[in-house]
Amino acid sequence: MKKNILIILLVAITASSCGEYNKLLKSTDYEYKYEAAKNYFALGQYNRAATLLNELITILKGTVKAEESLYMLGMSYYNVQDYQTAAQTFIQYYSVYPRGTFAELARFHAGKALYLDTPEPRLDQSGTYTAIQQLQSFLEYFPQSSKQEEAQNMIFALQDKLVMKEYQSARLYYNLGNYMGNNYRACVITAQNALKDYPYTNLREDLSMLILRAKYEMAVYSVYDKRAERYRETVDEYYAFKNEFPESKYLKDADKIFKSSEQALGTGGTEETEE
């Protein structure tokens, strides 16, 4: 015990000196390096800790210290916001130590690191799918974890990001209109798939209104033989929309679409609409 205290005190002294740190890197006293790495980690000097830990996880392989070193290495990368490397390190940890002391935390932080590294919705969302998979895996392995709620909330946030990506794509198709093809149909399909995949999204109302608008535009620009059928589809979509969102922020626009569709069908409009 006294020896350990002396080592920690010595490490605290060497941590204050860059020159001494460079000497530490060359040292072959791995017990000394291990204690130094823990001290750097405790002091929040994560880059220095990571440099030492990267060497120690191989040298101390097969010992309890190797397990702790690997977890601390992951947390060092995590704390300097190198989330991709952190996630890889945590995945390595629970792959090597599936029942290790830090297995629960490693699985959780693997998912959270990937969550924090996900791009904004307009960019490729491959990383978002990977983050969701990691967090779902964490919940499967540790359903009673104290971090269960946080993990679930991250999954919901990531799903919202995926829905936003689909919503932006659907809007783009809508804005393109009939440019080089029937983009309104692509808008409808994209929005419908988003609603099917994420039925509880906060963007449900926006996606539903986009479908109604796109179907109306498809009817307006249809060839004569298909026009009546597509106006009827628009009217059906309107009733479905109004039934689900009776107080929608889009109700005025929806009512205008309905009235125009009814007039096009020659029914004169049988539904009272908002002016």
Side-chain angles (χ1 to χ4, degrees):
M1 178 64 74
K2 289 183 178 179
K3 181 181 178 182
N4 288 341
I5 293 173
L6 289 173
I7 290 174
I8 293 171
L9 289 173
L10 180 59
V11 168
I13 294 171
T14 58
S16 64
S17 167
C18 186
E20 291 299 326
Y21 172 71
N22 290 331
K23 290 181 183 178
L24 178 63
L25 293 176
K26 298 175 184 178
S27 173
T28 56
D29 186 341
Y30 299 114
E31 175 69 21
Y32 178 72
K33 280 189 172 181
Y34 173 71
E35 295 298 338
K38 290 180 69 174
N39 188 71
Y40 284 130
F41 185 86
L43 292 172
Q45 297 182 34
Y46 300 114
N47 286 319
R48 286 187 172 187
T51 300
L52 295 174
L53 291 167
N54 258 312
E55 179 185 7
L56 291 169
I57 57 174
T58 301
I59 294 167
L60 300 175
K61 188 176 180 179
T63 69
V64 175
K65 291 177 180 178
E67 179 184 344
E68 184 180 33
S69 294
L70 186 56
Y71 177 72
M72 281 196 298
L73 178 61
M75 288 305 301
S76 294
Y77 288 131
Y78 180 88
N79 286 320
V80 296
Q81 300 180 7
D82 184 353
Y83 295 125
Q84 280 294 325
T85 308
Q88 291 168 10
T89 306
F90 290 130
I91 291 170
Q92 181 186 353
Y93 174 92
Y94 70 68
S95 297
V96 176
Y97 308 104
R99 297 185 181 181
T101 305
F102 307 102
E104 178 179 343
L105 289 172
R107 283 189 178 275
F108 173 77
H109 281 106
K112 188 170 183 178
L114 291 172
Y115 162 80
L116 292 170
D117 197 53
T118 53
E120 57 184 286
R122 66 184 180 84
L123 301 175
D124 178 71
Q125 293 300 305
S126 300
T128 302
Y129 287 107
T130 304
I132 290 174
Q133 290 172 355
Q134 283 293 327
L135 289 166
Q136 287 176 334
S137 177
F138 164 73
L139 291 174
E140 289 171 8
Y141 276 88
F142 302 99
Q144 304 303 319
S145 172
S146 62
K147 296 184 179 298
Q148 182 267 347
E149 184 177 356
E150 184 179 356
Q152 190 63 68
N153 287 336
M154 283 190 283
I155 290 174
F156 290 150
L158 291 169
Q159 288 176 339
D160 285 344
K161 186 174 288 191
L162 293 177
V163 178
M164 178 58 74
K165 172 76 171 179
E166 294 304 301
Y167 176 64
Q168 290 176 347
S169 295
R171 279 181 61 95
L172 177 60
Y173 284 128
Y174 180 84
N175 291 334
L176 288 172
N178 289 317
Y179 177 71
M180 296 184 69
N182 188 350
N183 291 295
Y184 294 122
R185 183 181 297 280
C187 170
V188 170
I189 292 171
T190 301
Q192 286 177 336
N193 285 340
L195 289 174
K196 180 180 178 182
D197 293 339
Y198 308 102
Y200 304 109
T201 174
N202 293 330
L203 290 173
R204 186 173 181 84
E205 181 181 350
D206 305 89
L207 286 162
S208 298
M209 185 61 195
L210 198 54
I211 292 170
L212 176 59
R213 284 174 171 157
K215 284 191 172 184
Y216 173 71
E217 296 297 336
M218 283 175 63
V220 170
Y221 292 105
S222 278
V223 296
Y224 180 79
D225 290 345
K226 294 184 178 180
R227 193 169 298 160
E229 177 187 353
R230 288 181 174 171
Y231 273 120
R232 282 193 290 269
E233 289 177 358
T234 301
V235 170
D236 290 343
E237 192 68 38
Y238 164 81
Y239 282 124
F241 178 83
K242 191 169 183 180
N243 182 60
E244 185 171 0
F245 307 103
E247 298 181 3
S248 172
K249 59 188 176 183
Y250 299 116
L251 197 55
K252 250 185 184 179
D253 289 341
D255 285 341
K256 287 179 181 178
I257 289 172
F258 170 76
K259 185 174 181 180
S260 178
S261 298
E262 289 281 78
Q263 287 173 346
L265 287 167
T267 59
T270 58
E271 177 79 2
E272 183 178 339
T273 59
E274 213 175 285
E275 295 299 327

